[in-house]
Amino acid sequence: QVQLVESGGGLVQAGGSLRLSCADSGRTFSSYSMGWFRQAPAKEREFVASISWSCGSTSYAESVKGRFTISRDNTKNTMYLQMTSLKPEDTAVYYCAASPIAGAPRYSSAYSDWGQGTQVTVSS
């Protein structure tokens, strides 16, 4: 069982940066692909970024490519999302998720475990 806890969200001005963390309290973190998704008010949850278990493969939504960087440290059972050049449209609840599927899947149905989410608010 993978239990995920996000942290690092908050309020930031447009153009600013934040780093989100996702800590896994289970024992099989390194066996899972990991991903970040987000959900803005009145919108569906959308894919943000994903990373394979070995860090050999990453994938990004077009809207964040070049601004966000996903990474993981399997020795610390933690995944990160470094967000730079933030825009008001990045405002959402950000969720981390774990998938038993190899690679860096982009679709939410591939993910079996989810965190509770952390709020990111970008002011203009």
Side-chain angles (χ1 to χ4, degrees), residues 20-44:
L20 305 184
S21 298
C22 173
D24 163 33
S25 62
R27 300 182 182 178
T28 56
F29 178 78
S30 61
S31 299
Y32 285 76
S33 296
M34 299 295 295
W36 288 98
F37 292 77
R38 67 186 182 186
Q39 187 167 18
K43 293 189 176 180
E44 293 187 355

Side-chain angles (χ1 to χ4, degrees), residues 67-117:
R67 300 188 298 122
F68 291 9
T69 302
I70 189 171
S71 62
R72 65 190 294 169
D73 185 340
N74 288 340
T75 66
K76 296 181 179 179
N77 283 9
T78 302
M79 174 179 65
Y80 306 96
L81 184 69
Q82 180 67 50
M83 304 185 294
T84 63
S85 301
L86 282 161
K87 304 175 181 180
E89 51 263 44
D90 294 318
T91 295
V93 177
Y94 283 71
Y95 299 89
C96 69
S99 171
I101 296 176
R106 299 169 62 95
Y107 47 101
S108 60
S109 59
Y111 292 81
S112 55
D113 298 281
W114 294 80
Q116 83 289 349

